Amino acid sequence: ENGKNRILSVSTAGGTAAEWLSMSSPWRVYVIDGYLYVIHNGQTRVSKVNLVTKAVTQLMSDVKDASGLVIHNGLLYVTAGENGIENEIYTVNLSTGVSTQIVRRRETEMYNYGVDMLFKGEVMYILFSRGSSLYSLDVDGMNPVRIAGVHRYGDTDGAKADAVLGRPKSFALS
């Protein structure tokens, strides 16, 4: 609950949502292997929260506009970058805690503001909200290929490579 600086929980059997953890401006979360990974604090920090003890470990700080995160092969991948100018991909080695910027690309049109990311096998997919597009990339963030969406100011309906995605926020692969 971004406006109230907290993360809520609710039983899978239903019931009332209750405050689980107080955290400054939680933005996006990812849960795996007993941990909750959170982009928070005005999209400038990435933390790991132990689901049992609620212990918080900061993984990244002073990141600009972090917005997407996913874990693949022991690495936490994070999309970030000054909104509308730089587009970056970072990895955090979950064993060592070391973060590395693997991509920095200046682009303000199609490849702009990565808000969500997923892996299918060894292919990374990033959804760009301000670019209204979906790209596939190699695991190292190289060789971007537009697979859906057109220029963000287009007005075309149709096939995936031609359709406007309308500033999307998240996606799923099947």
Side-chain angles (χ1 to χ4, degrees):
E1 202 174 28
N2 192 323
K4 295 190 178 177
N5 294 320
R6 61 188 184 164
I7 296 175
L8 302 176
S9 68
V10 65
S11 169
T12 55
T16 304
E19 182 172 320
W20 182 74
L21 182 69
S22 178
M23 181 169 278
S24 175
S25 302
W27 177 255
R28 186 171 299 270
V29 299
Y30 187 86
V31 178
I32 190 169
D33 297 334
Y35 290 96
L36 175 73
Y37 295 86
V38 184
I39 294 173
H40 64 102
N41 200 41
Q43 295 174 260
T44 63
R45 291 190 180 149
V46 179
S47 295
K48 172 173 89 170
V49 182
N50 183 302
L51 290 174
V52 175
T53 66
K54 298 184 186 178
V56 178
T57 303
Q58 184 171 291
L59 299 174
M60 299 176 74
S61 63
D62 298 325
V63 173
K64 291 185 179 180
D65 292 328
S67 53
L69 71 161
V70 68
I71 293 175
H72 181 71
N73 290 339
L75 295 174
L76 172 67
Y77 287 77
V78 177
T79 60
E82 190 173 345
N83 190 353
I85 300 171
E86 301 291 344
N87 295 280
E88 303 162 343
I89 302 172
Y90 293 87
T91 60
V92 179
N93 183 310
L94 295 176
S95 297
T96 65
V98 173
S99 66
T100 304
Q101 182 183 69
I102 62 170
V103 172
R104 184 172 190 204
R105 181 173 174 180
R106 189 173 182 89
E107 166 76 55
T108 60
E109 305 242 349
M110 301 280 290
Y111 196 92
N112 184 330
Y113 193 54
V115 293
D116 199 8
M117 59 194 316
L118 296 171
F119 274 87
K120 187 171 185 179
E122 294 302 307
V123 178
M124 178 189 330
Y125 294 87
I126 299 180
L127 183 67
F128 291 93
S129 179
R130 303 260 159 62
S132 297
S133 58
L134 177 65
Y135 277 76
S136 66
L137 302 94
D138 295 340
V139 170
D140 62 1
M142 297 291 115
N143 301 314
V145 175
R146 181 176 54 90
I147 59 172
V150 296
H151 188 276
R152 64 184 170 163
Y153 300 113
D155 60 1
T156 305
D157 293 327
K160 67 181 180 182
D162 300 324
V164 173
L165 300 180
R167 302 227 176 180
K169 301 295 183 217
S170 64
F171 73 110
L173 294 172
S174 61

